[in-house]
PDB file of all heavy atoms in Angstrom:
ATOM      1  N   GLY C 324       0.232  -0.777  -7.173  1.00 99.00           N
ATOM      2  CA  GLY C 324       1.436   0.036  -7.226  1.00 99.00           C
ATOM      3  C   GLY C 324       2.824  -0.644  -7.072  1.00 99.00           C
ATOM      4  O   GLY C 324       3.771  -0.065  -6.519  1.00 99.00           O
ATOM      5  N   GLY C 326       4.980  -1.552  -9.124  1.00 98.00           N
ATOM      6  CA  GLY C 326       6.033  -1.383 -10.071  1.00 98.00           C
ATOM      7  C   GLY C 326       7.171  -0.447  -9.571  1.00 98.00           C
ATOM      8  O   GLY C 326       8.242  -0.320 -10.255  1.00 98.00           O
ATOM      9  N   SER C 327       7.079  -0.015  -8.342  1.00 98.00           N
ATOM     10  CA  SER C 327       8.014   0.996  -7.806  1.00 98.00           C
ATOM     11  C   SER C 327       8.152   1.071  -6.330  1.00 98.00           C
ATOM     12  O   SER C 327       7.163   0.642  -5.729  1.00 98.00           O
ATOM     13  CB  SER C 327       7.602   2.465  -8.396  1.00 98.00           C
ATOM     14  OG  SER C 327       8.551   3.385  -7.870  1.00 98.00           O
ATOM     15  N   GLY C 328       9.226   1.444  -5.832  1.00 98.00           N
ATOM     16  CA  GLY C 328       9.239   1.836  -4.394  1.00 98.00           C
ATOM     17  C   GLY C 328       8.781   0.740  -3.481  1.00 98.00           C
ATOM     18  O   GLY C 328       9.305  -0.418  -3.532  1.00 98.00           O
ATOM     19  N   ILE C 329       7.871   1.189  -2.517  1.00 98.00           N
ATOM     20  CA  ILE C 329       7.477   0.292  -1.327  1.00 98.00           C
ATOM     21  C   ILE C 329       6.779  -0.950  -1.927  1.00 98.00           C
ATOM     22  O   ILE C 329       6.973  -2.101  -1.524  1.00 98.00           O
ATOM     23  CB  ILE C 329       6.650   1.008  -0.390  1.00 98.00           C
ATOM     24  CG1 ILE C 329       7.397   2.150   0.403  1.00 98.00           C
ATOM     25  CG2 ILE C 329       6.028   0.077   0.533  1.00 98.00           C
ATOM     26  CD1 ILE C 329       6.613   3.156   1.178  1.00 98.00           C
ATOM     27  N   ASP C 348       0.011  -2.625 -11.493  1.00 99.00           N
ATOM     28  CA  ASP C 348       0.464  -1.220 -11.561  1.00 99.00           C
ATOM     29  C   ASP C 348      -0.145  -0.518 -12.895  1.00 99.00           C
ATOM     30  O   ASP C 348      -0.473  -1.192 -13.842  1.00 99.00           O
ATOM     31  CB  ASP C 348       1.998  -0.986 -11.607  1.00 99.00           C
ATOM     32  CG  ASP C 348       2.472   0.290 -10.986  1.00 99.00           C
ATOM     33  OD1 ASP C 348       2.218   1.383 -11.765  1.00 99.00           O
ATOM     34  OD2 ASP C 348       3.070   0.320  -9.962  1.00 99.00           O
ATOM     35  N   VAL C 349      -0.442   0.840 -12.747  1.00 98.00           N
ATOM     36  CA  VAL C 349      -0.944   1.474 -13.904  1.00 98.00           C
ATOM     37  C   VAL C 349       0.267   1.563 -15.058  1.00 98.00           C
ATOM     38  O   VAL C 349       0.005   1.724 -16.196  1.00 98.00           O
ATOM     39  CB  VAL C 349      -1.506   2.872 -13.592  1.00 98.00           C
ATOM     40  CG1 VAL C 349      -0.361   3.793 -13.002  1.00 98.00           C
ATOM     41  CG2 VAL C 349      -2.246   3.525 -14.603  1.00 98.00           C
ATOM     42  N   MET C 370      -3.201  -2.299 -13.893  1.00 99.00           N
ATOM     43  CA  MET C 370      -4.395  -1.906 -13.082  1.00 99.00           C
ATOM     44  C   MET C 370      -4.299  -0.400 -12.768  1.00 99.00           C
ATOM     45  O   MET C 370      -3.322  -0.016 -12.117  1.00 99.00           O
ATOM     46  CB  MET C 370      -4.450  -2.706 -11.781  1.00 99.00           C
ATOM     47  CG  MET C 370      -5.656  -2.338 -10.889  1.00 99.00           C
ATOM     48  SD  MET C 370      -5.545  -2.934  -9.178  1.00 99.00           S
ATOM     49  CE  MET C 370      -5.878  -4.710  -9.358  1.00 99.00           C
ATOM     50  N   ASP C 371      -5.306   0.349 -13.087  1.00 99.00           N
ATOM     51  CA  ASP C 371      -5.477   1.656 -12.726  1.00 99.00           C
ATOM     52  C   ASP C 371      -6.542   1.722 -11.540  1.00 99.00           C
ATOM     53  O   ASP C 371      -7.627   1.459 -11.795  1.00 99.00           O
ATOM     54  CB  ASP C 371      -5.963   2.627 -13.835  1.00 99.00           C
ATOM     55  CG  ASP C 371      -6.218   4.054 -13.311  1.00 99.00           C
ATOM     56  OD1 ASP C 371      -6.065   4.292 -12.150  1.00 99.00           O
ATOM     57  OD2 ASP C 371      -6.376   4.887 -14.245  1.00 99.00           O
ATOM     58  N   VAL C 372      -6.006   1.857 -10.340  1.00 99.00           N
ATOM     59  CA  VAL C 372      -6.936   1.743  -9.172  1.00 99.00           C
ATOM     60  C   VAL C 372      -8.011   2.688  -9.182  1.00 99.00           C
ATOM     61  O   VAL C 372      -9.094   2.490  -8.432  1.00 99.00           O
ATOM     62  CB  VAL C 372      -6.056   1.762  -7.791  1.00 99.00           C
ATOM     63  CG1 VAL C 372      -5.083   0.696  -7.720  1.00 99.00           C
ATOM     64  CG2 VAL C 372      -5.442   3.206  -7.606  1.00 99.00           C
ATOM     65  N   ASN C 398      -1.187  -0.548  -1.931  1.00 98.00           N
ATOM     66  CA  ASN C 398      -0.057   0.376  -1.810  1.00 98.00           C
ATOM     67  C   ASN C 398      -0.138   1.494  -2.717  1.00 98.00           C
ATOM     68  O   ASN C 398       0.520   2.469  -2.397  1.00 98.00           O
ATOM     69  CB  ASN C 398       1.084  -0.534  -2.016  1.00 98.00           C
ATOM     70  CG  ASN C 398       2.325   0.283  -2.218  1.00 98.00           C
ATOM     71  OD1 ASN C 398       2.958   0.809  -1.373  1.00 98.00           O
ATOM     72  ND2 ASN C 398       2.770   0.480  -3.573  1.00 98.00           N
ATOM     73  N   ALA C 399      -0.821   1.404  -3.872  1.00 99.00           N
ATOM     74  CA  ALA C 399      -0.673   2.481  -4.878  1.00 99.00           C
ATOM     75  C   ALA C 399      -1.061   3.765  -4.209  1.00 99.00           C
ATOM     76  O   ALA C 399      -2.186   3.862  -3.586  1.00 99.00           O
ATOM     77  CB  ALA C 399      -1.659   2.204  -6.046  1.00 99.00           C
ATOM     78  N   GLY C 400      -0.351   4.789  -4.538  1.00 98.00           N
ATOM     79  CA  GLY C 400      -0.585   6.130  -3.900  1.00 98.00           C
ATOM     80  C   GLY C 400       0.312   7.193  -4.429  1.00 98.00           C
ATOM     81  O   GLY C 400       1.434   6.901  -4.932  1.00 98.00           O
ATOM     82  N   VAL C 450      -1.370   0.493   2.773  1.00 99.00           N
ATOM     83  CA  VAL C 450      -0.186   1.494   3.080  1.00 99.00           C
ATOM     84  C   VAL C 450      -0.759   2.819   3.291  1.00 99.00           C
ATOM     85  O   VAL C 450      -1.255   3.459   2.326  1.00 99.00           O
ATOM     86  CB  VAL C 450       0.834   1.309   1.929  1.00 99.00           C
ATOM     87  CG1 VAL C 450       2.000   2.321   2.140  1.00 99.00           C
ATOM     88  CG2 VAL C 450       1.341  -0.099   1.744  1.00 99.00           C
ATOM     89  N   SER C 451      -0.538   3.290   4.569  1.00 99.00           N
ATOM     90  CA  SER C 451      -1.027   4.655   4.948  1.00 99.00           C
ATOM     91  C   SER C 451       0.166   5.622   4.986  1.00 99.00           C
ATOM     92  O   SER C 451       1.091   5.510   4.182  1.00 99.00           O
ATOM     93  CB  SER C 451      -1.770   4.485   6.268  1.00 99.00           C
ATOM     94  OG  SER C 451      -2.234   5.714   6.672  1.00 99.00           O
ATOM     95  N   TYR C 465      -2.797  15.228   0.799  1.00 98.00           N
ATOM     96  CA  TYR C 465      -2.247  13.828   0.951  1.00 98.00           C
ATOM     97  C   TYR C 465      -2.654  13.207   2.318  1.00 98.00           C
ATOM     98  O   TYR C 465      -3.154  12.123   2.375  1.00 98.00           O
ATOM     99  CB  TYR C 465      -0.731  13.938   0.726  1.00 98.00           C
ATOM    100  CG  TYR C 465      -0.063  12.651   0.887  1.00 98.00           C
ATOM    101  CD1 TYR C 465      -0.019  11.643   0.002  1.00 98.00           C
ATOM    102  CD2 TYR C 465       0.678  12.447   2.092  1.00 98.00           C
ATOM    103  CE1 TYR C 465       0.665  10.382   0.205  1.00 98.00           C
ATOM    104  CE2 TYR C 465       1.390  11.287   2.284  1.00 98.00           C
ATOM    105  CZ  TYR C 465       1.308  10.256   1.373  1.00 98.00           C
ATOM    106  OH  TYR C 465       2.067   9.031   1.568  1.00 98.00           O
ATOM    107  N   LYS C 469      -4.862   9.894   3.572  1.00 99.00           N
ATOM    108  CA  LYS C 469      -4.289   8.669   4.386  1.00 99.00           C
ATOM    109  C   LYS C 469      -5.204   8.618   5.661  1.00 99.00           C
ATOM    110  O   LYS C 469      -5.345   7.462   6.225  1.00 99.00           O
ATOM    111  CB  LYS C 469      -2.895   8.954   4.535  1.00 99.00           C
ATOM    112  CG  LYS C 469      -2.009   8.917   3.402  1.00 99.00           C
ATOM    113  CD  LYS C 469      -2.111   7.561   2.695  1.00 99.00           C
ATOM    114  CE  LYS C 469      -1.095   7.432   1.570  1.00 99.00           C
ATOM    115  NZ  LYS C 469      -1.104   5.999   0.919  1.00 99.00           N
ATOM    116  N   PRO C 495       4.137   4.519   7.160  1.00 98.00           N
ATOM    117  CA  PRO C 495       5.510   4.806   7.178  1.00 98.00           C
ATOM    118  C   PRO C 495       5.683   6.277   7.377  1.00 98.00           C
ATOM    119  O   PRO C 495       4.881   7.187   7.043  1.00 98.00           O
ATOM    120  CB  PRO C 495       5.987   4.473   5.641  1.00 98.00           C
ATOM    121  CG  PRO C 495       4.786   3.774   5.030  1.00 98.00           C
ATOM    122  CD  PRO C 495       3.623   4.149   5.785  1.00 98.00           C
ATOM    123  N   GLY C 496       6.818   6.735   7.974  1.00 98.00           N
ATOM    124  CA  GLY C 496       7.419   8.055   7.880  1.00 98.00           C
ATOM    125  C   GLY C 496       8.033   8.149   6.491  1.00 98.00           C
ATOM    126  O   GLY C 496       7.890   7.257   5.658  1.00 98.00           O
ATOM    127  N   PRO C 497       8.899   9.115   6.367  1.00 97.00           N
ATOM    128  CA  PRO C 497       9.448   9.264   5.047  1.00 97.00           C
ATOM    129  C   PRO C 497      10.407   8.055   4.615  1.00 97.00           C
ATOM    130  O   PRO C 497      11.099   7.453   5.411  1.00 97.00           O
ATOM    131  CB  PRO C 497      10.309  10.537   5.166  1.00 97.00           C
ATOM    132  CG  PRO C 497      10.404  10.915   6.543  1.00 97.00           C
ATOM    133  CD  PRO C 497       9.206  10.260   7.144  1.00 97.00           C
ATOM    134  N   VAL C 498      10.434   7.636   3.413  1.00 98.00           N
ATOM    135  CA  VAL C 498      11.050   6.493   2.907  1.00 98.00           C
ATOM    136  C   VAL C 498      11.749   6.837   1.614  1.00 98.00           C
ATOM    137  O   VAL C 498      11.139   7.539   0.796  1.00 98.00           O
ATOM    138  CB  VAL C 498      10.089   5.322   2.624  1.00 98.00           C
ATOM    139  CG1 VAL C 498      10.787   4.051   2.294  1.00 98.00           C
ATOM    140  CG2 VAL C 498       9.018   5.033   3.747  1.00 98.00           C
ATOM    141  N   THR C 500      12.316   6.318  -1.837  1.00 97.00           N
ATOM    142  CA  THR C 500      11.697   5.685  -2.979  1.00 97.00           C
ATOM    143  C   THR C 500      11.694   6.678  -4.187  1.00 97.00           C
ATOM    144  O   THR C 500      11.990   7.855  -4.029  1.00 97.00           O
ATOM    145  CB  THR C 500      10.118   5.264  -2.772  1.00 97.00           C
ATOM    146  OG1 THR C 500       9.477   6.613  -2.743  1.00 97.00           O
ATOM    147  CG2 THR C 500       9.989   4.464  -1.541  1.00 97.00           C
ATOM    148  N   PRO C 501      11.383   6.248  -5.350  1.00 95.00           N
ATOM    149  CA  PRO C 501      11.398   7.224  -6.455  1.00 95.00           C
ATOM    150  C   PRO C 501      10.458   8.408  -6.186  1.00 95.00           C
ATOM    151  O   PRO C 501      10.644   9.458  -6.664  1.00 95.00           O
ATOM    152  CB  PRO C 501      10.835   6.291  -7.687  1.00 95.00           C
ATOM    153  CG  PRO C 501      11.478   4.951  -7.352  1.00 95.00           C
ATOM    154  CD  PRO C 501      11.254   4.835  -5.873  1.00 95.00           C
ATOM    155  N   MET C 502       9.350   8.115  -5.424  1.00 94.00           N
ATOM    156  CA  MET C 502       8.359   9.231  -5.118  1.00 94.00           C
ATOM    157  C   MET C 502       9.126  10.381  -4.338  1.00 94.00           C
ATOM    158  O   MET C 502       8.847  11.515  -4.554  1.00 94.00           O
ATOM    159  CB  MET C 502       7.249   8.720  -4.269  1.00 94.00           C
ATOM    160  CG  MET C 502       6.219   9.703  -3.859  1.00 94.00           C
ATOM    161  SD  MET C 502       4.750   9.027  -3.139  1.00 94.00           S
ATOM    162  CE  MET C 502       4.883   9.393  -1.485  1.00 94.00           C
ATOM    163  N   THR C 503      10.012  10.023  -3.442  1.00 94.00           N
ATOM    164  CA  THR C 503      10.744  11.016  -2.602  1.00 94.00           C
ATOM    165  C   THR C 503      12.045  11.399  -3.054  1.00 94.00           C
ATOM    166  O   THR C 503      12.611  12.249  -2.348  1.00 94.00           O
ATOM    167  CB  THR C 503      10.691  10.475  -1.184  1.00 94.00           C
ATOM    168  OG1 THR C 503      11.386   9.190  -1.129  1.00 94.00           O
ATOM    169  CG2 THR C 503       9.430  10.291  -0.443  1.00 94.00           C
TER     170      THR C 503
HETATM  171  N1  NAD J 858       7.877   7.165   0.184  1.00 95.40           N
HETATM  172  C1  NAD J 858       7.464   7.654   1.296  1.00 95.40           C
HETATM  173  O1  NAD J 858       8.166   8.479   1.867  1.00 95.40           O
HETATM  174  C2  NAD J 858       6.203   7.200   1.789  1.00 95.40           C
HETATM  175  C3  NAD J 858       5.799   7.579   3.084  1.00 95.40           C
HETATM  176  C4  NAD J 858       4.455   7.187   3.577  1.00 95.40           C
HETATM  177  C5  NAD J 858       3.628   6.461   2.763  1.00 95.40           C
HETATM  178  N2  NAD J 858       4.026   6.239   1.562  1.00 95.40           N
HETATM  179  C6  NAD J 858       2.998   5.545   0.661  1.00 95.40           C
HETATM  180  O2  NAD J 858       3.532   4.329   0.100  1.00 95.40           O
HETATM  181  C7  NAD J 858       2.786   4.023  -1.072  1.00 95.40           C
HETATM  182  C8  NAD J 858       3.931   3.755  -2.090  1.00 95.40           C
HETATM  183  O3  NAD J 858       4.796   4.914  -2.279  1.00 95.40           O
HETATM  184  P1  NAD J 858       6.165   4.994  -2.914  1.00 95.40           P
HETATM  185  O4  NAD J 858       7.019   5.916  -2.191  1.00 95.40           O
HETATM  186  O5  NAD J 858       6.666   3.592  -3.125  1.00 95.40           O
HETATM  187  O6  NAD J 858       5.827   5.624  -4.343  1.00 95.40           O
HETATM  188  P2  NAD J 858       6.394   5.282  -5.832  1.00 95.40           P
HETATM  189  O7  NAD J 858       5.935   6.560  -6.600  1.00 95.40           O
HETATM  190  O8  NAD J 858       7.755   4.907  -5.865  1.00 95.40           O
HETATM  191  O9  NAD J 858       5.490   4.111  -6.321  1.00 95.40           O
HETATM  192  C9  NAD J 858       4.109   4.232  -6.430  1.00 95.40           C
HETATM  193  C10 NAD J 858       3.589   3.271  -7.574  1.00 95.40           C
HETATM  194  O10 NAD J 858       2.233   3.413  -7.636  1.00 95.40           O
HETATM  195  C11 NAD J 858       1.817   3.393  -8.930  1.00 95.40           C
HETATM  196  N3  NAD J 858       0.561   4.117  -9.210  1.00 95.40           N
HETATM  197  C12 NAD J 858       0.306   5.420  -9.175  1.00 95.40           C
HETATM  198  N4  NAD J 858      -0.967   5.662  -9.565  1.00 95.40           N
HETATM  199  C13 NAD J 858      -1.514   4.465  -9.716  1.00 95.40           C
HETATM  200  C14 NAD J 858      -2.873   4.153 -10.117  1.00 95.40           C
HETATM  201  N5  NAD J 858      -3.818   4.945 -10.326  1.00 95.40           N
HETATM  202  N6  NAD J 858      -3.132   2.743 -10.184  1.00 95.40           N
HETATM  203  C15 NAD J 858      -2.073   1.929  -9.970  1.00 95.40           C
HETATM  204  N7  NAD J 858      -0.920   2.167  -9.604  1.00 95.40           N
HETATM  205  C16 NAD J 858      -0.620   3.432  -9.597  1.00 95.40           C
HETATM  206  C17 NAD J 858       2.891   4.023  -9.764  1.00 95.40           C
HETATM  207  O11 NAD J 858       2.952   3.770 -11.095  1.00 95.40           O
HETATM  208  C18 NAD J 858       4.174   3.537  -9.000  1.00 95.40           C
HETATM  209  O12 NAD J 858       4.623   2.410  -9.492  1.00 95.40           O
HETATM  210  C19 NAD J 858       1.859   5.149  -1.445  1.00 95.40           C
HETATM  211  O13 NAD J 858       0.637   4.839  -0.973  1.00 95.40           O
HETATM  212  C20 NAD J 858       2.524   6.315  -0.529  1.00 95.40           C
HETATM  213  O14 NAD J 858       1.507   7.197  -0.204  1.00 95.40           O
HETATM  214  C21 NAD J 858       5.196   6.512   1.014  1.00 95.40           C
END
Side-chain angles (χ1 to χ4, degrees):
S327 174
I329 296 169
D348 206 291
V349 71
M370 180 193 287
D371 178 353
V372 298
N398 165 79
V450 179
S451 178
Y465 172 80
K469 293 300 190 178
V498 186
T500 68
M502 177 168 107
T503 55

